[in-house]
Amino acid sequence: MSEDIKKLIKQNEVIISLLGRIAFTPDKVREIVISRKQNPQNYINGYNSCDGKHTLSDIARIVGVTPGTLSPILVEWEEVGIIYEVEKPGGKFYKKLFTI
């Protein structure tokens, strides 16, 4: 990957993060992540592991659920706008707006 593309990707990530901070407070993101969850801290840990390096299976392991259980939750988080999918070889990867 060229340096220009790497710079553009980084620039886009910064813009997304800044826009996310305008739209969501950390408390609002925390509320979305833990809503109706039996083990809220596990979901916070899972959300915080959405760093673009962990697969769906990795995040599910961190949360302590199956990928099938976590997948619709990540879809919901993506629809709400607190994570976004990163296209990479090797699976689905997600990035969070900011750490909570």
Side-chain angles (χ1 to χ4, degrees):
M1 187 180 310
S2 76
E3 284 301 313
D4 287 339
I5 291 176
K6 287 180 184 178
K7 287 178 184 177
L8 185 60
I9 290 170
K10 183 62 179 172
Q11 177 185 5
N12 287 343
E13 290 176 350
V14 168
I15 291 168
I16 290 168
S17 178
L18 290 172
L19 289 172
R21 288 177 186 275
I22 292 169
F24 297 101
T25 64
D27 288 339
K28 181 62 180 170
V29 172
R30 183 182 316 277
E31 179 183 319
I32 293 167
V33 168
I34 66 172
S35 176
R36 304 178 318 271
K37 304 300 186 288
Q38 290 183 353
N39 298 303
Q41 187 58 51
N42 290 2
Y43 282 88
I44 290 171
N45 295 341
Y47 175 81
N48 286 333
S49 69
C50 293
D51 58 4
K53 298 175 186 171
H54 292 92
T55 64
L56 169 65
S57 295
D58 295 335
I59 298 166
R61 201 169 16 264
I62 290 166
V63 174
V65 297
T66 66
T69 298
L70 186 62
S71 184
I73 294 169
L74 293 180
V75 168
E76 179 185 324
W77 291 354
E78 190 172 14
E79 287 174 355
V80 172
I82 62 170
I83 63 170
Y84 60 96
E85 189 175 327
V86 178
E87 293 185 30
K88 290 170 55 173
K92 287 188 174 185
F93 297 84
Y94 296 91
K95 290 209 63 160
K96 64 189 175 293
L97 295 177
F98 47 81
T99 301
I100 55 171

Coordinates of all heavy atoms in Angstrom, one line a residue:
M1 N 0.9 -1.2 0.0 CA 0.0 0.0 0.0 C 0.9 1.2 0.0 O 1.9 1.3 0.8 CB -0.9 0.0 1.2 CG -1.9 1.0 1.3 SD -3.0 1.0 2.7 CE -3.6 -0.6 2.8
S2 N 0.6 2.2 -0.8 CA 1.4 3.4 -1.0 C 1.2 4.3 0.3 O 0.3 4.2 1.0 CB 1.0 4.1 -2.2 OG -0.2 4.9 -2.1
E3 N 2.2 5.1 0.4 CA 2.2 6.1 1.6 C 1.0 7.0 1.4 O 0.4 7.4 2.4 CB 3.5 6.9 1.7 CG 4.7 6.1 2.2 CD 4.4 5.5 3.6 OE1 3.9 6.3 4.5 OE2 4.6 4.3 3.9
D4 N 0.7 7.5 0.2 CA -0.4 8.4 0.0 C -1.8 7.7 0.5 O -2.6 8.4 1.1 CB -0.5 8.8 -1.4 CG 0.6 9.8 -1.8 OD1 1.1 10.4 -0.9 OD2 0.8 9.9 -3.1
I5 N -1.9 6.5 0.1 CA -3.2 5.8 0.5 C -3.2 5.6 2.0 O -4.2 5.8 2.7 CB -3.3 4.4 -0.2 CG1 -3.5 4.6 -1.7 CG2 -4.4 3.5 0.4 CD1 -3.6 3.4 -2.5
K6 N -2.1 5.3 2.7 CA -2.0 5.2 4.1 C -2.4 6.5 4.8 O -3.1 6.5 5.8 CB -0.6 4.7 4.6 CG -0.3 3.3 4.3 CD 1.1 2.9 4.7 CE 1.4 1.5 4.4 NZ 2.8 1.1 4.8
K7 N -1.9 7.6 4.2 CA -2.2 8.9 4.8 C -3.7 9.2 4.6 O -4.3 9.8 5.6 CB -1.3 10.0 4.1 CG 0.1 10.0 4.5 CD 0.9 11.0 3.7 CE 2.4 11.0 4.1 NZ 3.1 11.9 3.3
L8 N -4.2 8.9 3.5 CA -5.7 9.1 3.2 C -6.5 8.3 4.2 O -7.5 8.8 4.8 CB -6.0 8.8 1.8 CG -7.4 9.1 1.4 CD1 -7.7 10.6 1.5 CD2 -7.6 8.7 -0.1
I9 N -6.2 7.0 4.4 CA -6.9 6.2 5.4 C -6.8 6.8 6.8 O -7.9 6.9 7.5 CB -6.4 4.7 5.3 CG1 -6.7 4.1 4.0 CG2 -6.9 3.9 6.5 CD1 -6.1 2.7 3.8
K10 N -5.7 7.2 7.2 CA -5.5 7.8 8.5 C -6.3 9.1 8.6 O -7.0 9.3 9.6 CB -4.0 8.1 8.8 CG -3.8 8.6 10.2 CD -4.2 7.6 11.2 CE -3.9 8.2 12.6 NZ -4.4 7.3 13.7
Q11 N -6.3 9.9 7.6 CA -7.1 11.1 7.6 C -8.6 10.8 7.7 O -9.3 11.5 8.5 CB -6.8 11.9 6.3 CG -7.6 13.2 6.2 CD -7.4 13.8 4.8 OE1 -6.7 13.3 3.9 NE2 -8.0 15.0 4.6
N12 N -9.0 9.9 7.0 CA -10.5 9.5 7.1 C -10.8 9.0 8.5 O -11.9 9.3 9.0 CB -10.8 8.4 6.0 CG -10.9 9.0 4.6 OD1 -10.9 10.2 4.4 ND2 -10.8 8.1 3.7
E13 N -9.9 8.2 9.1 CA -10.2 7.7 10.4 C -10.3 8.9 11.4 O -11.1 8.9 12.4 CB -9.1 6.7 10.9 CG -9.2 5.4 10.1 CD -8.1 4.4 10.4 OE1 -7.2 4.8 11.1 OE2 -8.3 3.2 10.0
V14 N -9.4 9.9 11.3 CA -9.5 11.0 12.2 C -10.8 11.8 12.0 O -11.4 12.2 13.0 CB -8.2 11.9 11.9 CG1 -8.4 13.3 12.6 CG2 -7.0 11.3 12.4
I15 N -11.2 12.0 10.7 CA -12.4 12.7 10.5 C -13.6 11.9 11.1 O -14.5 12.5 11.7 CB -12.6 12.9 8.9 CG1 -11.6 13.9 8.4 CG2 -14.0 13.3 8.6 CD1 -11.5 14.0 6.9
I16 N -13.7 10.6 10.9 CA -14.7 9.8 11.4 C -14.8 9.9 13.0 O -15.8 10.1 13.6 CB -14.6 8.3 11.0 CG1 -14.9 8.2 9.5 CG2 -15.5 7.4 11.8 CD1 -14.5 6.9 8.9
S17 N -13.6 9.9 13.6 CA -13.5 10.0 15.0 C -14.0 11.3 15.5 O -14.8 11.4 16.5 CB -12.1 9.7 15.5 OG -12.0 9.9 16.9
L18 N -13.6 12.4 14.8 CA -14.0 13.7 15.3 C -15.5 13.9 15.1 O -16.2 14.5 15.9 CB -13.3 14.8 14.4 CG -11.8 14.9 14.8 CD1 -11.1 15.9 13.8 CD2 -11.6 15.4 16.2
L19 N -16.1 13.4 14.0 CA -17.5 13.5 13.8 C -18.3 12.7 14.8 O -19.3 13.1 15.3 CB -17.9 13.0 12.4 CG -17.5 14.0 11.2 CD1 -17.7 13.3 9.9 CD2 -18.2 15.3 11.3
G20 N -17.7 11.5 15.2 CA -18.3 10.7 16.2 C -18.4 11.4 17.5 O -19.3 11.3 18.3
R21 N -17.3 12.1 17.8 CA -17.3 12.8 19.1 C -18.3 14.0 19.2 O -18.8 14.3 20.2 CB -15.9 13.4 19.4 CG -14.9 12.3 19.7 CD -13.5 12.8 19.9 NE -12.6 11.7 20.1 CZ -12.3 11.2 21.3 NH1 -12.9 11.6 22.4 NH2 -11.4 10.2 21.4
I22 N -18.6 14.5 18.0 CA -19.7 15.5 17.9 C -21.0 14.9 18.2 O -21.9 15.4 18.9 CB -19.6 16.3 16.6 CG1 -18.3 17.1 16.5 CG2 -20.8 17.2 16.4 CD1 -18.1 17.7 15.1
A23 N -21.2 13.7 17.6 CA -22.5 13.1 17.6 C -22.8 12.3 18.9 O -23.9 12.2 19.3 CB -22.7 12.1 16.4
F24 N -21.7 11.8 19.5 CA -21.9 10.9 20.7 C -21.0 11.3 21.8 O -19.8 11.6 21.6 CB -21.6 9.5 20.3 CG -22.5 8.8 19.3 CD1 -22.1 8.7 18.0 CD2 -23.7 8.4 19.7 CE1 -22.9 8.1 17.1 CE2 -24.5 7.8 18.8 CZ -24.1 7.6 17.5
T25 N -21.5 11.4 23.0 CA -20.6 11.5 24.2 C -20.2 10.1 24.6 O -20.8 9.1 24.3 CB -21.4 12.2 25.3 OG1 -22.4 11.3 25.8 CG2 -22.0 13.5 25.0
P26 N -19.1 10.1 25.4 CA -18.7 8.7 25.9 C -19.8 8.1 26.7 O -20.0 6.8 26.6 CB -17.5 9.1 26.7 CG -16.9 10.3 26.1 CD -18.1 11.1 25.7
D27 N -20.5 8.8 27.5 CA -21.6 8.2 28.2 C -22.7 7.7 27.3 O -23.3 6.6 27.6 CB -22.3 9.3 29.2 CG -21.4 9.6 30.3 OD1 -20.5 8.8 30.7 OD2 -21.5 10.7 30.9
K28 N -23.0 8.3 26.2 CA -24.0 7.8 25.3 C -23.5 6.5 24.6 O -24.3 5.6 24.5 CB -24.4 8.9 24.2 CG -25.4 8.4 23.2 CD -26.8 8.1 23.9 CE -27.8 7.7 22.9 NZ -29.0 7.2 23.6
V29 N -22.3 6.5 24.2 CA -21.7 5.3 23.6 C -21.8 4.1 24.6 O -22.2 3.0 24.3 CB -20.3 5.5 23.1 CG1 -19.7 4.2 22.7 CG2 -20.3 6.5 22.0
R30 N -21.4 4.4 25.9 CA -21.4 3.4 26.9 C -22.8 2.9 27.1 O -23.1 1.7 27.2 CB -20.9 4.0 28.2 CG -20.8 3.0 29.4 CD -20.3 3.6 30.7 NE -19.2 4.5 30.5 CZ -17.9 4.1 30.5 NH1 -17.6 2.8 30.6 NH2 -17.0 5.0 30.4
E31 N -23.8 3.8 27.1 CA -25.2 3.4 27.3 C -25.7 2.5 26.1 O -26.3 1.5 26.4 CB -26.1 4.7 27.3 CG -27.6 4.4 27.4 CD -28.3 5.7 27.3 OE1 -27.9 6.7 27.9 OE2 -29.4 5.7 26.7
I32 N -25.3 2.8 24.9 CA -25.6 1.9 23.7 C -25.0 0.6 23.9 O -25.6 -0.5 23.7 CB -25.2 2.6 22.4 CG1 -26.0 3.9 22.2 CG2 -25.3 1.6 21.3 CD1 -25.5 4.8 21.1
V33 N -23.7 0.5 24.3 CA -22.9 -0.7 24.3 C -23.5 -1.6 25.4 O -23.6 -2.8 25.2 CB -21.4 -0.4 24.5 CG1 -20.7 -1.7 24.9 CG2 -20.8 0.2 23.3
I34 N -23.8 -1.1 26.6 CA -24.2 -2.0 27.7 C -25.7 -2.2 27.8 O -26.2 -3.0 28.6 CB -23.7 -1.5 29.0 CG1 -24.3 -0.2 29.4 CG2 -22.1 -1.4 29.0 CD1 -23.9 0.3 30.8
S35 N -26.5 -1.5 27.0 CA -28.0 -1.6 27.0 C -28.4 -3.1 26.9 O -28.1 -3.8 26.0 CB -28.6 -0.8 25.9 OG -30.0 -1.0 25.9
R36 N -29.2 -3.5 28.0 CA -29.8 -4.9 28.0 C -28.7 -6.0 28.0 O -29.0 -7.1 27.6 CB -30.8 -5.1 26.8 CG -31.9 -4.0 26.8 CD -32.8 -4.2 25.6 NE -32.2 -4.6 24.3 CZ -31.8 -3.7 23.4 NH1 -31.9 -2.4 23.6 NH2 -31.2 -4.1 22.3
K37 N -27.5 -5.7 28.5 CA -26.5 -6.8 28.5 C -26.3 -7.3 29.9 O -26.3 -6.6 30.9 CB -25.2 -6.2 28.1 CG -25.2 -5.6 26.7 CD -25.6 -6.5 25.6 CE -25.5 -6.0 24.2 NZ -26.5 -5.0 23.8
Q38 N -26.2 -8.7 30.0 CA -26.0 -9.3 31.3 C -24.6 -9.0 31.9 O -24.4 -9.0 33.1 CB -26.2 -10.8 31.2 CG -27.7 -11.2 31.0 CD -27.9 -12.7 30.9 OE1 -26.9 -13.4 31.0 NE2 -29.1 -13.1 30.9
N39 N -23.6 -8.9 31.0 CA -22.2 -8.7 31.5 C -21.7 -7.4 30.8 O -20.9 -7.5 29.9 CB -21.3 -9.9 31.1 CG -21.8 -11.1 31.8 OD1 -21.8 -11.2 33.0 ND2 -22.1 -12.2 31.1
P40 N -22.2 -6.3 31.3 CA -21.8 -5.0 30.6 C -20.3 -4.7 30.4 O -19.9 -4.2 29.4 CB -22.5 -3.9 31.5 CG -23.1 -4.6 32.6 CD -23.0 -6.0 32.5
Q41 N -19.5 -5.1 31.4 CA -18.1 -4.8 31.3 C -17.5 -5.6 30.2 O -16.6 -5.1 29.5 CB -17.4 -5.1 32.6 CG -15.9 -4.7 32.6 CD -15.7 -3.2 32.3 OE1 -16.3 -2.3 32.9 NE2 -14.9 -2.9 31.3
N42 N -18.0 -6.8 29.9 CA -17.5 -7.6 28.8 C -17.8 -6.9 27.5 O -16.9 -6.9 26.6 CB -18.1 -9.0 28.8 CG -17.6 -9.9 30.0 OD1 -16.9 -9.5 30.8 ND2 -18.1 -11.1 30.0
Y43 N -18.9 -6.3 27.4 CA -19.3 -5.6 26.1 C -18.5 -4.3 26.0 O -18.1 -4.0 24.9 CB -20.8 -5.3 26.1 CG -21.5 -6.6 25.7 CD1 -22.0 -7.5 26.6 CD2 -21.8 -6.9 24.3 CE1 -22.6 -8.7 26.3 CE2 -22.4 -8.1 24.0 CZ -22.8 -8.9 24.9 OH -23.5 -10.1 24.6
I44 N -18.2 -3.7 27.1 CA -17.3 -2.5 27.0 C -15.9 -2.9 26.5 O -15.3 -2.3 25.6 CB -17.2 -1.8 28.4 CG1 -18.5 -1.1 28.7 CG2 -16.1 -0.8 28.4 CD1 -18.7 -0.5 30.1
N45 N -15.4 -4.0 27.1 CA -14.1 -4.6 26.6 C -14.1 -4.9 25.1 O -13.2 -4.7 24.4 CB -13.7 -5.8 27.5 CG -13.5 -5.4 28.9 OD1 -13.2 -4.3 29.3 ND2 -13.5 -6.4 29.8
G46 N -15.3 -5.5 24.7 CA -15.4 -5.9 23.3 C -15.4 -4.7 22.4 O -14.8 -4.6 21.4
Y47 N -16.2 -3.7 22.8 CA -16.3 -2.4 22.1 C -14.9 -1.8 22.0 O -14.5 -1.4 20.9 CB -17.3 -1.4 22.7 CG -17.3 -0.1 22.0 CD1 -18.0 0.1 20.8 CD2 -16.5 1.0 22.5 CE1 -18.0 1.3 20.2 CE2 -16.5 2.2 21.8 CZ -17.2 2.3 20.7 OH -17.2 3.6 20.0
N48 N -14.2 -1.7 23.1 CA -12.9 -1.1 23.1 C -11.8 -1.9 22.3 O -10.8 -1.4 21.8 CB -12.4 -0.9 24.5 CG -13.1 0.2 25.2 OD1 -13.5 1.2 24.5 ND2 -13.2 0.2 26.5
S49 N -12.1 -3.2 22.0 CA -11.2 -4.0 21.2 C -11.5 -3.8 19.7 O -10.8 -4.4 18.8 CB -11.3 -5.5 21.6 OG -12.5 -6.0 21.2
C50 N -12.5 -3.0 19.3 CA -12.8 -2.7 17.9 C -11.8 -1.7 17.5 O -12.0 -0.5 17.4 CB -14.2 -2.2 17.8 SG -15.5 -3.4 18.1
D51 N -10.6 -2.2 17.2 CA -9.5 -1.3 16.8 C -9.0 -1.6 15.4 O -8.0 -1.1 15.0 CB -8.3 -1.5 17.8 CG -7.8 -3.0 17.8 OD1 -8.3 -3.8 17.1 OD2 -6.9 -3.3 18.7
G52 N -9.8 -2.3 14.6 CA -9.4 -2.6 13.3 C -8.4 -3.8 13.1 O -8.0 -4.1 12.0
K53 N -8.0 -4.4 14.3 CA -7.1 -5.5 14.3 C -7.7 -6.8 14.7 O -7.1 -7.8 14.5 CB -5.9 -5.1 15.2 CG -5.1 -3.9 14.7 CD -4.1 -3.6 15.7 CE -3.4 -2.3 15.3 NZ -2.5 -1.8 16.4
H54 N -8.9 -6.7 15.4 CA -9.5 -7.9 15.9 C -10.7 -8.3 15.0 O -11.5 -7.5 14.6 CB -10.1 -7.7 17.3 CG -9.0 -7.5 18.3 ND1 -8.5 -6.2 18.7 CD2 -8.3 -8.3 19.1 CE1 -7.6 -6.3 19.6 NE2 -7.5 -7.6 19.9
T55 N -10.8 -9.6 14.7 CA -11.9 -10.1 13.9 C -13.1 -10.2 14.8 O -13.1 -10.1 16.0 CB -11.5 -11.5 13.4 OG1 -11.4 -12.4 14.5 CG2 -10.3 -11.5 12.6
L56 N -14.2 -10.5 14.1 CA -15.5 -10.8 14.8 C -15.3 -11.9 15.8 O -15.7 -11.7 17.0 CB -16.5 -11.2 13.8 CG -17.9 -11.7 14.3 CD1 -18.6 -10.7 15.1 CD2 -18.7 -12.3 13.2
S57 N -14.6 -12.9 15.5 CA -14.4 -14.1 16.4 C -13.5 -13.6 17.6 O -13.8 -14.0 18.7 CB -13.7 -15.2 15.7 OG -14.5 -15.8 14.7
D58 N -12.5 -12.8 17.4 CA -11.7 -12.3 18.5 C -12.5 -11.5 19.4 O -12.4 -11.6 20.7 CB -10.6 -11.4 17.9 CG -9.5 -12.1 17.1 OD1 -9.4 -13.3 17.2 OD2 -8.9 -11.4 16.3
I59 N -13.4 -10.6 18.9 CA -14.2 -9.7 19.7 C -15.2 -10.6 20.5 O -15.4 -10.3 21.7 CB -14.9 -8.6 18.9 CG1 -13.8 -7.7 18.2 CG2 -15.8 -7.8 19.8 CD1 -14.3 -6.8 17.1
A60 N -15.8 -11.5 19.8 CA -16.7 -12.4 20.5 C -16.1 -13.2 21.7 O -16.7 -13.3 22.8 CB -17.3 -13.4 19.5
R61 N -14.9 -13.6 21.5 CA -14.1 -14.3 22.6 C -13.9 -13.3 23.7 O -14.0 -13.7 24.9 CB -12.8 -14.8 22.0 CG -12.1 -15.9 22.8 CD -11.0 -16.6 22.1 NE -10.3 -15.9 20.9 CZ -10.6 -16.2 19.7 NH1 -11.5 -17.0 19.3 NH2 -10.0 -15.6 18.7
I62 N -13.6 -12.1 23.5 CA -13.4 -11.1 24.5 C -14.6 -10.8 25.3 O -14.6 -10.7 26.5 CB -12.8 -9.7 23.9 CG1 -11.4 -10.0 23.4 CG2 -12.9 -8.6 24.9 CD1 -10.9 -8.9 22.5
V63 N -15.8 -10.8 24.6 CA -17.1 -10.5 25.2 C -17.5 -11.8 25.9 O -18.2 -11.7 27.0 CB -18.1 -10.1 24.2 CG1 -19.5 -10.0 24.8 CG2 -17.7 -8.7 23.5
G64 N -17.1 -12.9 25.4 CA -17.6 -14.2 26.1 C -18.8 -14.8 25.5 O -19.6 -15.4 26.2
V65 N -19.1 -14.5 24.2 CA -20.2 -15.0 23.5 C -19.8 -15.6 22.1 O -18.6 -15.5 21.8 CB -21.3 -13.9 23.2 CG1 -21.8 -13.3 24.5 CG2 -20.7 -12.8 22.3
T66 N -20.7 -16.2 21.4 CA -20.4 -16.8 20.1 C -20.4 -15.7 19.1 O -21.0 -14.7 19.3 CB -21.4 -17.9 19.7 OG1 -22.6 -17.3 19.5 CG2 -21.5 -19.0 20.8
P67 N -19.6 -15.9 18.0 CA -19.7 -14.9 16.9 C -21.2 -14.7 16.4 O -21.5 -13.6 16.0 CB -18.8 -15.5 15.8 CG -17.8 -16.3 16.6 CD -18.6 -16.9 17.7
G68 N -22.0 -15.8 16.4 CA -23.4 -15.7 16.0 C -24.2 -14.8 16.9 O -25.1 -14.1 16.4
T69 N -23.9 -14.8 18.2 CA -24.5 -13.9 19.1 C -24.1 -12.4 18.9 O -24.9 -11.5 19.0 CB -24.3 -14.3 20.6 OG1 -24.8 -15.6 20.7 CG2 -24.9 -13.4 21.6
L70 N -22.8 -12.3 18.7 CA -22.2 -10.9 18.6 C -22.5 -10.2 17.3 O -22.7 -9.0 17.2 CB -20.7 -10.9 18.9 CG -20.0 -9.6 19.0 CD1 -20.6 -8.7 20.1 CD2 -18.5 -9.7 19.1
S71 N -22.6 -11.0 16.2 CA -22.7 -10.4 14.9 C -23.9 -9.4 14.8 O -23.7 -8.3 14.3 CB -22.8 -11.5 13.8 OG -22.9 -11.0 12.6
P72 N -25.1 -9.8 15.2 CA -26.2 -8.8 15.1 C -26.0 -7.6 16.0 O -26.4 -6.5 15.7 CB -27.4 -9.5 15.5 CG -27.0 -10.8 16.1 CD -25.6 -11.1 15.7
I73 N -25.3 -7.7 17.1 CA -25.0 -6.6 18.0 C -24.0 -5.6 17.3 O -24.2 -4.4 17.3 CB -24.4 -7.1 19.3 CG1 -25.4 -7.9 20.1 CG2 -23.8 -5.9 20.1 CD1 -24.9 -8.6 21.3
L74 N -23.0 -6.2 16.6 CA -22.1 -5.3 15.8 C -22.8 -4.6 14.7 O -22.5 -3.5 14.4 CB -20.9 -6.1 15.3 CG -19.9 -6.7 16.4 CD1 -18.8 -7.4 15.8 CD2 -19.4 -5.5 17.3
V75 N -23.7 -5.3 14.0 CA -24.5 -4.7 13.0 C -25.3 -3.5 13.5 O -25.4 -2.5 13.0 CB -25.4 -5.7 12.3 CG1 -26.5 -5.1 11.4 CG2 -24.6 -6.8 11.5
E76 N -25.9 -3.7 14.7 CA -26.7 -2.7 15.4 C -25.7 -1.5 15.7 O -26.1 -0.3 15.4 CB -27.3 -3.2 16.6 CG -28.1 -2.2 17.4 CD -28.6 -2.7 18.7 OE1 -29.0 -3.9 18.8 OE2 -28.7 -1.9 19.7
W77 N -24.6 -1.8 16.3 CA -23.6 -0.7 16.6 C -23.2 0.1 15.4 O -23.0 1.3 15.4 CB -22.4 -1.3 17.3 CG -22.7 -1.8 18.7 CD1 -23.8 -1.7 19.4 CD2 -21.7 -2.4 19.5 NE1 -23.6 -2.3 20.7 CE2 -22.4 -2.8 20.7 CE3 -20.4 -2.8 19.4 CZ2 -21.7 -3.4 21.8 CZ3 -19.7 -3.5 20.4 CH2 -20.4 -3.8 21.6
E78 N -23.0 -0.7 14.3 CA -22.6 0.0 13.0 C -23.8 0.8 12.5 O -23.5 1.9 12.0 CB -22.2 -1.1 12.0 CG -21.6 -0.5 10.7 CD -21.0 -1.6 9.8 OE1 -21.3 -2.8 10.0 OE2 -20.3 -1.2 8.9
E79 N -25.0 0.3 12.5 CA -26.2 1.1 12.1 C -26.3 2.4 12.9 O -26.7 3.5 12.4 CB -27.4 0.3 12.1 CG -27.5 -0.8 11.1 CD -28.7 -1.7 11.2 OE1 -29.4 -1.6 12.2 OE2 -28.8 -2.6 10.3
V80 N -26.1 2.3 14.2 CA -26.2 3.5 15.1 C -25.0 4.5 14.8 O -25.2 5.7 15.0 CB -26.2 3.0 16.6 CG1 -26.1 4.2 17.5 CG2 -27.4 2.2 16.9
G81 N -23.9 3.9 14.4 CA -22.8 4.8 14.0 C -21.7 4.8 15.0 O -20.8 5.8 15.0
I82 N -21.6 3.8 16.0 CA -20.5 3.9 17.0 C -19.3 3.0 16.6 O -18.3 3.0 17.3 CB -21.0 3.6 18.4 CG1 -21.6 2.1 18.5 CG2 -22.0 4.6 18.8 CD1 -21.9 1.7 19.9
I83 N -19.5 2.2 15.6 CA -18.4 1.5 15.0 C -18.5 1.5 13.5 O -19.6 1.8 12.9 CB -18.3 0.0 15.4 CG1 -19.5 -0.8 15.0 CG2 -18.0 -0.1 16.9 CD1 -19.4 -2.3 15.2
Y84 N -17.5 1.1 12.8 CA -17.5 1.0 11.3 C -16.7 -0.2 10.9 O -15.7 -0.5 11.5 CB -17.2 2.3 10.6 CG -15.8 2.8 10.8 CD1 -14.8 2.6 9.9 CD2 -15.6 3.6 11.9 CE1 -13.5 3.1 10.1 CE2 -14.3 4.2 12.1 CZ -13.3 3.9 11.2 OH -12.0 4.4 11.5
E85 N -17.1 -0.8 9.8 CA -16.3 -2.0 9.3 C -15.1 -1.5 8.5 O -15.2 -0.6 7.7 CB -17.3 -2.8 8.4 CG -16.7 -4.1 8.0 CD -17.7 -5.0 7.3 OE1 -18.9 -4.9 7.5 OE2 -17.2 -5.7 6.4
V86 N -14.0 -2.2 8.7 CA -12.8 -2.0 8.0 C -12.6 -3.2 7.0 O -12.6 -4.3 7.5 CB -11.6 -1.9 8.9 CG1 -10.3 -1.7 8.1 CG2 -11.8 -0.8 9.9
E87 N -12.4 -2.9 5.7 CA -12.2 -4.0 4.8 C -10.8 -4.4 4.8 O -9.9 -3.6 4.5 CB -12.7 -3.5 3.4 CG -14.2 -3.3 3.3 CD -14.6 -3.0 1.9 OE1 -13.9 -3.4 0.9 OE2 -15.6 -2.2 1.7
K88 N -10.5 -5.7 5.1 CA -9.2 -6.2 5.1 C -9.3 -7.7 4.8 O -10.3 -8.3 5.1 CB -8.5 -6.1 6.5 CG -8.2 -4.7 6.9 CD -7.8 -4.5 8.4 CE -6.7 -5.4 8.8 NZ -6.2 -5.1 10.2
P89 N -8.2 -8.2 4.2 CA -8.2 -9.7 4.0 C -8.3 -10.4 5.3 O -7.7 -9.9 6.3 CB -6.9 -10.0 3.2 CG -6.3 -8.7 3.0 CD -7.0 -7.6 3.7
G90 N -8.9 -11.5 5.4 CA -8.9 -12.3 6.6 C -10.1 -12.2 7.5 O -10.2 -12.8 8.6
G91 N -11.1 -11.5 7.1 CA -12.4 -11.4 7.9 C -12.9 -10.0 8.0 O -12.4 -9.1 7.4
K92 N -13.9 -9.9 8.9 CA -14.5 -8.6 9.2 C -13.8 -8.0 10.4 O -13.6 -8.7 11.4 CB -16.0 -8.7 9.5 CG -16.8 -9.0 8.3 CD -18.3 -9.0 8.7 CE -19.2 -9.1 7.5 NZ -20.6 -8.9 7.8
F93 N -13.4 -6.8 10.2 CA -12.7 -6.0 11.3 C -13.5 -4.8 11.5 O -14.2 -4.2 10.6 CB -11.3 -5.7 10.9 CG -10.4 -6.9 10.7 CD1 -10.4 -7.6 9.4 CD2 -9.6 -7.4 11.7 CE1 -9.7 -8.7 9.2 CE2 -8.8 -8.5 11.5 CZ -8.8 -9.1 10.2
Y94 N -13.6 -4.3 12.8 CA -14.3 -3.1 13.1 C -13.5 -2.1 13.9 O -12.5 -2.5 14.6 CB -15.5 -3.5 14.0 CG -16.5 -4.4 13.3 CD1 -16.4 -5.8 13.3 CD2 -17.6 -3.9 12.5 CE1 -17.3 -6.6 12.6 CE2 -18.5 -4.7 11.9 CZ -18.3 -6.0 11.9 OH -19.2 -6.8 11.3
K95 N -13.8 -0.8 13.7 CA -13.2 0.2 14.4 C -14.2 1.0 15.2 O -15.3 1.3 14.7 CB -12.4 1.1 13.5 CG -11.2 0.4 12.9 CD -10.1 1.3 12.5 CE -9.5 2.0 13.6 NZ -8.1 2.5 13.4
K96 N -13.8 1.4 16.4 CA -14.7 2.2 17.3 C -14.4 3.6 17.0 O -13.4 4.0 16.5 CB -14.4 1.8 18.7 CG -13.0 2.1 19.2 CD -12.7 1.6 20.6 CE -11.3 1.8 21.0 NZ -10.3 1.1 20.2
L97 N -15.4 4.5 17.5 CA -15.2 5.9 17.4 C -14.1 6.4 18.4 O -13.2 7.1 18.0 CB -16.5 6.7 17.7 CG -17.6 6.5 16.8 CD1 -18.8 7.2 17.2 CD2 -17.2 6.9 15.4
F98 N -14.2 5.9 19.6 CA -13.2 6.3 20.7 C -13.4 5.3 21.8 O -14.4 4.6 21.9 CB -13.4 7.7 21.2 CG -14.8 8.1 21.5 CD1 -15.4 7.8 22.7 CD2 -15.6 8.8 20.5 CE1 -16.7 8.1 22.9 CE2 -16.9 9.2 20.8 CZ -17.4 8.8 22.0
T99 N -12.4 5.2 22.6 CA -12.4 4.3 23.8 C -13.4 4.8 24.8 O -13.4 6.0 25.1 CB -11.0 4.1 24.4 OG1 -10.1 3.7 23.3 CG2 -11.0 3.2 25.5
I100 N -14.1 3.8 25.4 CA -15.0 4.2 26.5 C -14.5 3.5 27.8 O -13.8 2.5 27.7 CB -16.5 3.9 26.3 CG1 -16.7 2.4 25.9 CG2 -17.0 4.8 25.2 CD1 -18.1 2.0 25.9

